[in-house]
Amino acid sequence: MPTITYIEFNGTSHSIEVENGLSVMEGAVNNNVPGIDADCGGSCACATCHVFVDEAWLGKCGTPDTQEKSMLGFAATAQANSRLACQITVSDALDGLVVRMPEAQH
Amino acid sequence: MNAPVNYDPTHEAWTMPLDQVDPANPMRFMAGAELPYLARLRRDAPIHYTAENPMFGPYWSICRYNDIMQVELNTEVFSSSWAHGGITVRDRAKELRIPMFIAMDPPQHDDQRKVVQPIVAPFNLQKFEALIRERTAMVLDSLPRGETFDWVQQVSIPLTTMMLASLFDFPFEDRALLSHWSDCATMPVEANGFIKSEEHREQVFGELLGYFTRLWNERVNEPARPDLVSMLAHGEATRNMTPREYLGNLILLIVGGNDTTRNSMSGGVLFMHQNPAEFAKLRANPKLVDSAVSEIIRYQTPLAHMRRTATQDFDLNGHQIKAGDKVVMWYLSANRDAEVIENPDAFIVDRKRPRQHISFGFGIHRCVGNRLAELQLKILWEQLLARFPKVEVVGEPKRVFSSFVRGYASLPVRIPA
Ligand code: HEM
């Protein structure tokens, strides 16, 4: 299974094996990684699974669709490498992916 | 109430002909009898058409969580625009409609929302935290012991009004005007309150706009600072608003931050009283405050619905919605949808996924102030637990005549001596 590394805002790192086909958000929530709220449960409707994707991986994670872009537009601390973790699907190609959490979800 | 003595809303809701079910009737909300009608629709007609309501005309009811999500996300078909009548089941007359960004579609909505959103962003919230703590302590310390008083008047209204004054940097001594204006904006004429007619309401809005125009004029020429008036006056997408649009956004920010949090502050006390075992759980483990707060907001659902208007014909799971139709998303019902929320009729302070509720809406209009509301409620409950063994509800709450704002006019309580 691919390993995803989640780094909390305070620097705490969690490397987790996540099943192919799950979202990066589900990988965090199912393993109680703090810092991802996922209020809407993965419908791209709330922006509370906001993460920063390490530059090296950005291209491999696909491009955000219009809905994700507009939700990200309302995330308080969005940057160029911001994504919603519920919109990234885990696959072998993402083995080793590193995502960082913002200061807070909003 | 002049309902017959043997009036049983549950029986009526489950037996009346489906096409006559009219969940937006504000009388039922006032009587605390609204839930069975939504439960009936959830089971028998989760996408339902009410052909006629004397106050609101015809409207669709969307009652299930996942169907509502579909409507929320399709802003092209389901418009929030004030030009179609906005976001409540009630239409105002065309000449009385008021633009505000909650009642706009992209791109204008997005641009205006981004102007004010930073005030409640995580880093600004941290700045408010100490202030909220201090005020909450002050209000709770001033409460009588062993005596009946009204929690709404003595706690919920003062706390939310002070918060609003800070968000606007509004003259503190005049802050009662803010809750007055908020009530004016939401009170149906039929409620027999102090708003007697739409003309009267417009007159009060004129006073609101006059006061806030003075604040705008002071701040527009000063450097931008983090209060809502200054942000609107300096924001690229808002500084050239018409007076009517300024009024609308003020009403939005006043009402948005007021009734909702107020009624959650009151509702929480009622629910803890009705569910002593849950209160005991929270008292034994104050770490549960965060999830208890989310549960209070779910259980209260301070805004029972948001409305959209179809911009084109649309097939929603087999139902033919026509262009121009009014579509009401019943958050109050979705929050009780057993398909998504386990044991939804129970009030449970330690749910597995407490934040999953739909009280803040979802999609691009999702509540801007949700984290602030949660913070205010969290501090209230932390401080309450630190001071009082319990808050007893000693009489029936008085509920508000509205199927939009779901809340309390009064809640008689006593804190043991
Ligand atoms: C428990 C408290 C609250 C509840 C339940 C609540 C609920 C909601 C809901 C249901 C919406 C609309 C969602 C939609 O149309 O899809 C909304 C939007 C909004 N709320 Fe709240 N709210 C609360 C507190 C606050 C506070 C404290 C503020 C202000 C500081 C606020 C400001 C707003 C604004 C400005 C919008 C419009 C957002 C937009 O259209 O993009 N709310 N709220």
Side-chain angles (χ1 to χ4, degrees), chain B residues 349-364:
Chain B
V349 295
D350 55 350
R351 285 187 176 274
K352 212 163 121 226
R353 289 198 51 208
R355 307 189 52 84
Q356 181 187 24
H357 68 75
I358 202 164
S359 297
F360 293 124
F362 279 116
I364 59 167

Side-chain angles (χ1 to χ4, degrees), chain B residues 72 101-102 109 113 167 252-253 256-257 260-261 264 302-303 306 308 331 359-361 364-365 367-369 372-373:
Chain B
E72 295 260 34
F101 72 83
I102 195 172
H109 159 268
R113 173 174 168 132
L167 292 173
L252 164 60
L253 293 161
T260 50
T261 315
S264 304
L303 296 179
M306 282 280 158
R308 301 290 186 256
Y331 296 151
S359 297
F360 293 124
I364 59 167
H365 290 281
C367 181
V368 166
L372 176 63

Side-chain angles (χ1 to χ4, degrees), chain B residues 120 125 128 132 163 167 369-377:
Chain B
V120 285
L125 282 193
F128 283 128
I132 299 173
M163 188 72 238
L167 292 173
N370 61 349
R371 298 287 168 168
L372 176 63
E374 288 169 357
L375 181 65
Q376 288 173 272
L377 286 159

